[in-house]
Amino acid sequence: MDGLTYVLLGALIVIAMNWAWSRYAGFLAQTPDDYAGASTPFNIRTHLNGHLVCEGVIYGPTGRVASRFVGHFDCTWKGNQGTMNEVFHYDDGSQQTRAWNLTLGNDGRIRALADDVEGEGTGQQMGNAVKLNYRFRLPAKSGGHVLNTVDWMYLAPNGTIINRSQFRKYGLKVAELVATMRPAHQQELAKSA
């Protein structure tokens, strides 16, 4: 074998090892069962209810912060049917809205629909965590690409929700979101009105 063959073979091995790590030991390898024994259960009807504030950052493919945002959510439930209306304000002055329609099964399974989600999102609440998978369509100004998305929400002991999401295209991570969600204070409600 010549030097170029060794370089290509080495690159393929590195790519395969990175894929295997992310698939079987990294973020994507988590399952709801990993959190089944948690002492403080995450119930989306309770913890994703009322007026919430969401503060976060979006990292681009290089790991640098690409955007910062504050979101205001209004969540209501009737039995196992919920709606979550979201308004995001980004650091560039832009605004984005989304309305989720959520259905919670008696077994903790979640069905999620939104206008910018291709098909149906599916998930599971278990222990102190919630997992949601869906195909998210970017706005036209951002290219309109459809990204495979994995959301994990973890309930902190004080009731704050920590959200970590990864967005992938062709299996490659193109963005990551980290945010907190918490009940809105009165002054925050006045600002969002």
Side-chain angles (χ1 to χ4, degrees):
M1 286 198 238
D2 63 10
L4 180 59
T5 304
Y6 281 116
V7 169
L8 290 174
L9 183 59
L12 286 173
I13 290 171
V14 168
I15 290 169
M17 289 175 62
N18 282 334
W19 176 84
W21 172 261
S22 70
R23 188 74 179 151
Y24 298 108
F27 180 76
L28 296 178
Q30 298 177 86
T31 68
D33 289 333
D34 294 337
Y35 303 97
S39 60
T40 306
F42 189 155
N43 182 327
I44 63 172
R45 289 175 300 192
T46 303
H47 296 101
L48 293 178
N49 195 12
H51 296 285
L52 303 174
V53 173
C54 177
E55 300 150 326
V57 294
I58 299 172
Y59 300 92
T62 64
R64 290 184 176 89
V65 172
S67 184
R68 297 170 292 130
F69 64 88
V70 174
H72 297 276
F73 301 172
D74 183 19
C75 311
T76 58
W77 287 88
K78 291 182 182 173
N80 283 355
Q81 302 294 316
T83 58
M84 185 163 63
N85 294 303
E86 304 173 331
V87 179
F88 294 95
H89 301 277
Y90 292 92
D91 57 348
D92 65 1
S94 64
Q95 181 176 302
Q96 180 184 25
T97 61
R98 176 176 301 109
W100 285 100
N101 292 305
L102 305 168
T103 303
L104 178 62
N106 292 332
D107 59 355
R109 293 192 190 277
I110 302 165
R111 185 175 149 252
L113 302 168
D115 287 344
D116 56 0
V117 169
E118 298 280 324
E120 178 178 287
T122 59
Q124 176 78 42
Q125 70 176 21
M126 188 171 289
N128 63 357
V130 170
K131 180 183 183 183
L132 193 60
N133 296 310
Y134 54 94
R135 292 177 43 80
F136 171 68
R137 186 179 351 93
L138 290 172
K141 71 177 185 172
S142 300
H145 301 281
V146 176
L147 305 177
N148 292 320
T149 306
V150 177
D151 279 352
W152 274 98
M153 292 175 269
Y154 310 96
L155 185 63
N158 70 351
T160 298
I161 299 165
I162 292 82
N163 183 187
R164 182 178 177 198
S165 304
Q166 289 189 351
F167 305 89
R168 295 180 181 270
K169 182 80 175 177
Y170 305 119
L172 301 173
K173 183 172 73 169
V174 296
E176 184 165 357
L177 175 148
V178 176
T180 61
M181 291 179 264
R182 58 180 173 75
H185 301 299
Q186 288 296 66
Q187 61 269 32
E188 292 169 321
L189 290 174
K191 283 183 185 178
S192 69

